[in-house]
Each structure stands twice: as structure tokens, then as C-alpha cells.
Amino acid sequence: MKRHLTLVALLPMALLGSCGLKPLYSGGSSGPVAQALGQVEVAPIEGKAGWLVTNALRDRLGAVPAGQTARYRLQIKLDDEITGLAIRRDDSVARERRTLRARYQLVELDKGGVVLDATAGSDAGIDVVGSDYATIAAESTALERLSERVADQILMRLAVYVGRTPTAP
């Protein structure tokens, strides 16, 4: 009985190896996906949210190596919005929702064409308290977290795209 259970437990593992899945970041920082992501330059984005997203992406992508030109340019337009949700009896807002959406395009510089056009976004809830300072601090913290999430979503989509694309000529 014990042997039968061991075989049943090992069967899914054997099947998983033959399904054709492979790790996206195989090879670590010298792998093909990491190398391709290192050839992406991020175009400047307007505003505080743009600055935060740009820095988050540059940290994750790495710099284009010295002496090399970038293969891709990432162009991003952000929409940052705060909406009041809950209203108190005195008609003041009790809860806000901050939404950060990004429309991004990956442009291949050699051919000048857009090779990826997609969106990313996230939102966060914010309690509005009696202190204006505390509310502004909460809104700023929410923007920082949302910028990180949006940058992560963009990076994952870029990694999937370059993982499926043949390497540079």
C-alpha cells in the first residue's frame, strides 16, 4: 500500500517535467530573458507617480550596459486618480480609493514599431482621518505601493514577451 501511494505521488511530478514548461528566468542574470530585459530603456514619465514607476522599473530592469544602445524603449502613460467612497453624516469623505493605471508600449528601436501594447493597474483603499497630515501621508504611501505593483506587472509582462521572442540578431 505504501509503495502504491509513493508511485501515485511521483506520477504528477513525472508528467510535469514532460509538459514543456521551462523557468522564465533560467540562467539567472546571464540568461536570455535577463539579458533582453537589460536592453530596455524606460522613457521619462510625468509626475510623482511617473517618477516612482520609472525608478521601480529601472531598478528591476537594470541599466543598459555601457557602450551598448538599447534594443527597446518602454513608453508609459499613467492615470492616477483618488475617489471618495464613504461619506459621513457631515458630508465629509471617510474612505478614499487611489487607482493607478498604466498604458505601456514596448517599442523596438531598430524597426521603430510597437511590439507590445498593454495595460497594468492596481488600487488601494485609504482611510480619511481627522488629521490632514495623516491622510496625505496615507495617500503618498498608497501611491508608493501602487507604483511598485504596477512596475511588477509591467516587468512580468515584458519578461513573458522577451521570453517568447527570439534573441537579438
Side-chain angles (χ1 to χ4, degrees):
M1 181 70 176
K2 224 178 197 185
R3 186 170 185 229
H4 177 69
L5 289 175
T6 305
L7 289 174
V8 170
L10 292 177
L11 182 62
M13 288 184 193
L15 293 175
L16 184 61
S18 64
C19 72
L21 292 176
K22 64 178 184 170
L24 187 60
Y25 289 105
S26 63
S29 62
S30 61
V33 172
Q35 293 293 321
L37 289 176
Q39 296 177 345
V40 176
E41 71 177 19
V42 181
I45 311 168
E46 293 181 15
K48 181 179 178 180
W51 181 80
L52 290 167
V53 171
T54 300
N55 285 340
L57 282 169
R58 287 181 180 158
D59 288 345
R60 288 159 174 75
L61 291 170
V64 177
Q68 285 188 357
T69 58
R71 181 177 178 193
Y72 301 103
R73 177 178 295 120
L74 184 60
Q75 299 173 334
I76 304 171
K77 291 189 190 260
L78 294 176
D79 180 27
D80 179 22
E81 186 177 299
I82 298 177
T83 308
L85 293 178
I87 306 295
R88 295 186 183 103
R89 289 182 184 167
D90 64 352
D91 288 334
S92 62
V93 174
R95 187 126 173 102
E96 295 176 336
R97 178 182 183 170
R98 185 160 207 164
T99 306
L100 183 63
R101 302 278 180 249
R103 175 160 187 233
Y104 58 96
Q105 296 179 325
L106 186 65
V107 178
E108 191 168 11
L109 296 176
D110 292 344
K111 299 177 183 174
V114 175
V115 293
L116 178 64
D117 188 351
T119 60
S122 190
D123 61 349
I126 303 165
D127 287 327
V128 178
V129 294
S131 167
D132 289 341
Y133 175 78
T135 302
I136 291 170
E139 289 172 353
S140 181
T141 302
L143 180 60
E144 291 170 11
R145 284 192 324 264
L146 294 174
S147 298
E148 295 285 328
R149 286 185 200 154
V150 167
D152 287 340
Q153 290 175 17
I154 292 171
L155 181 70
M156 286 284 96
R157 183 70 172 98
L158 291 179
V160 169
Y161 171 77
V162 298
R164 292 180 178 166
T165 304
T167 57

